[in-house]
Amino acid sequence: MIKLNLRARFVLVLAFAVSLSACKDEENPTTVRPQLRKTVDYAKLTDTTTYANFFVDDAGVKTVDLTTGANRLLMFRAINTYNGTAVSTGATLDATVLKNMFSNTSNPFSGTANAALNSSGVQLRNVTASSLSATDAEKERTTIEAGFPKIATASKSVTATASEGKAGKLGTYLVDEQGIEWAQIIQKGLIGAFQVDYIGNVLLSDKNLALDNTTLVTGKKYTALEQNWDEIYGIITANPVYGGKATTTSSGESFIGSYLWEYNQEDFAKVHKALLTGRAAIVNNDLTTLKTQAAFIHKAMEKAIAGAALGYLNKWKTGTTDAARAHAMGEGLGFIYSLRYATIAKADAAFSDAILAGLIGAPNGFWGLTNAKIDAASTAIKTKFGIQ
């Protein structure tokens, strides 16, 4: 019997392993281990680094594709713009059109900027509340859709002046007979149910952060994990540099991107760097750094919507006209609905629904609000989120 010393055994094992790897790579030439790209130096990432152009493969070809996230952000914007036409042009809205835009069915998108969305292959509905069980997710999607006939009906009264029990406009805001501004409920509700939940609880989940990062997606220049992170960027911002257009009076962003600026200034300036660093950590196969950035972004979004809910409750109290108070309450109610997706704070639907019922559970809705109801809602949110 031939006896091998330890070094010889190691050489044989190593040679066998290399031969197996070579065979596998010949079968699938896009598979490379342990790291697909050259290591990215984190120190080269700055607040003005352009996300889409920075990350390239070893041949210098871009590996970032923001299309999926960007298309979903465009769909969100299209719904919001359509709702705005009731006030801006006096248009009567169609609930079926809104439902089709939400699910991207029956070619609902039009215009140079949006027509291509019809064939994009993505939608908002199936990623809304998608961290929940199938039953609970469907319940929340139905809740969002219930707002479509509400705003459509209210739009028929856009030329009237609203009052208790009568739909119409308060100032420049369209409200229903209970004084509820459905355009804000839908918009702020989707910030939570789509952006915060899908990004924070799905795309940034441990399950998704463990997606394959060694094999290119067929026909693409990115891995599944890289695309997962790129979708986050595309959903948060349409700008090359998140926050790059911010001024002292404007975020230069929209939806959750804007409310990070307005209600979480502390983290707003750090978000772009976190998005860059997370993408670089994926390149570097640096799971520790990746999870640190993921946790930061997730928490920053939750802090923003909690701050926004409190901010608009306070604006109801400081509002000097019914129009100002109704608008503040429309935004506030939408953000309070969204708090159910704040999983870091351990909020849920029961928490969110209890606050909503305490505020507008009465038949006259907005018109029945009191300082005591506002204070009770604010206290509940501050307690849950640990806000002083």
Side-chain angles (χ1 to χ4, degrees):
M1 178 180 293
I2 298 173
K3 293 185 177 180
L4 299 176
N5 61 28
L6 183 60
R7 177 179 175 79
R9 287 174 183 269
F10 177 75
V11 170
L12 283 173
V13 170
L14 180 61
F16 180 63
V18 168
S19 67
L20 285 179
S21 176
C23 290
K24 190 167 185 178
D25 286 354
E26 287 174 1
E27 295 166 359
N28 182 3
T30 61
T31 299
V32 180
R33 289 186 175 86
Q35 186 169 310
L36 192 61
R37 322 282 188 202
K38 292 178 181 175
T39 299
V40 174
D41 181 356
Y42 295 120
K44 291 185 177 180
L45 304 174
T46 73
D47 291 337
T48 58
T49 298
T50 303
Y51 182 95
N53 295 333
F54 184 82
F55 300 99
V56 297
D57 63 17
D58 291 353
V61 178
K62 288 171 56 176
T63 62
V64 171
D65 186 344
L66 304 176
T67 305
T68 299
N71 280 341
R72 288 196 163 112
L73 184 61
L74 283 172
M75 289 174 178
F76 189 2
R77 186 170 294 167
I79 289 173
N80 196 57
T81 299
Y82 179 73
N83 283 340
T85 60
V87 169
S88 64
T89 70
T92 297
L93 304 181
D94 186 331
T96 301
V97 170
L98 281 165
K99 192 170 183 178
N100 289 341
M101 294 172 84
F102 187 43
S103 60
N104 193 14
T105 55
S106 303
N107 298 317
F109 299 103
S110 60
T112 304
N114 293 331
L117 295 174
N118 296 319
S119 57
S120 63
V122 299
Q123 57 172 283
L124 293 185
R125 193 180 195 282
N126 67 352
V127 295
T128 293
S130 52
S131 73
L132 304 178
S133 68
T135 299
D136 288 344
E138 186 59 25
K139 179 182 177 183
E140 300 301 339
R141 291 163 188 162
T142 301
T143 296
I144 295 291
E145 289 173 331
F148 300 159
K150 291 284 189 181
I151 192 172
T153 300
S155 71
K156 296 176 183 176
S157 302
V158 71
T159 59
T161 298
S163 59
E164 185 170 347
K166 181 181 177 183
K169 283 170 59 179
L170 286 174
T172 58
Y173 309 116
L174 176 67
V175 301
D176 70 5
E177 68 280 4
Q178 291 183 305
I180 305 300
E181 189 184 8
W182 283 97
Q184 292 301 325
I185 302 292
I186 294 168
Q187 182 195 120
K188 272 56 183 184
L190 282 174
I191 285 177
F194 161 49
Q195 290 186 305
V196 174
D197 185 61
Y198 185 48
I199 293 174
N201 299 324
V202 177
L203 299 179
L204 293 178
S205 66
D206 286 346
K207 177 183 177 182
N208 271 42
L209 295 183
L211 288 171
D212 178 51
N213 195 38
T214 60
T215 305
L216 297 180
V217 174
T218 302
K220 304 296 183 183
K221 296 296 183 182
Y222 50 72
T223 67
L225 183 56
E226 289 173 330
Q227 175 56 196
N228 182 72
W229 197 264
D230 292 346
E231 186 172 359
I232 294 168
Y233 190 94
I235 291 173
I236 289 180
T237 181
N239 291 324
V241 174
Y242 172 73
K245 294 183 179 179
T247 66
T248 55
T249 57
S250 172
S251 67
E253 300 291 345
S254 59
F255 308 127
I256 188 62
S258 176
Y259 288 97
L260 279 161
W261 172 81
E262 190 169 354
Y263 285 100
N264 187 1
Q265 285 281 336
E266 180 182 0
D267 292 334
F268 170 71
K270 304 172 185 174
V271 169
H272 186 66
K273 192 69 169 292
L275 290 164
L276 289 169
T277 304
R279 187 59 159 79
I282 292 171
V283 172
N284 296 345
N285 282 338
D286 179 356
L287 187 59
T288 300
T289 299
L290 175 61
K291 287 195 171 185
T292 298
Q293 309 314 310
F296 168 78
I297 295 167
H298 190 178
K299 189 173 182 179
M301 290 192 299
E302 287 199 7
K303 185 177 179 181
I305 61 172
L310 290 170
Y312 285 108
L313 287 171
N314 189 57
K315 285 184 179 181
W316 179 89
K317 295 182 72 172
T318 59
T320 57
T321 65
D322 283 341
R325 286 189 287 270
H327 182 58
M329 188 46 49
E331 299 211 52
L333 293 173
F335 278 117
I336 291 167
Y337 167 82
S338 289
L339 295 181
R340 70 192 59 215
Y341 302 103
T343 55
I344 296 174
K346 301 188 185 305
D348 55 20
F351 166 78
S352 175
D353 287 342
I355 297 175
L356 293 173
L359 286 168
I360 56 166
N364 58 349
F366 159 78
W367 300 101
L369 284 170
T370 63
N371 280 339
K373 290 182 178 180
I374 297 293
D375 289 343
S378 296
T379 298
I381 295 168
K382 288 178 180 178
T383 301
K384 174 65 75 175
F385 288 83
I387 299 172
Q388 300 299 315

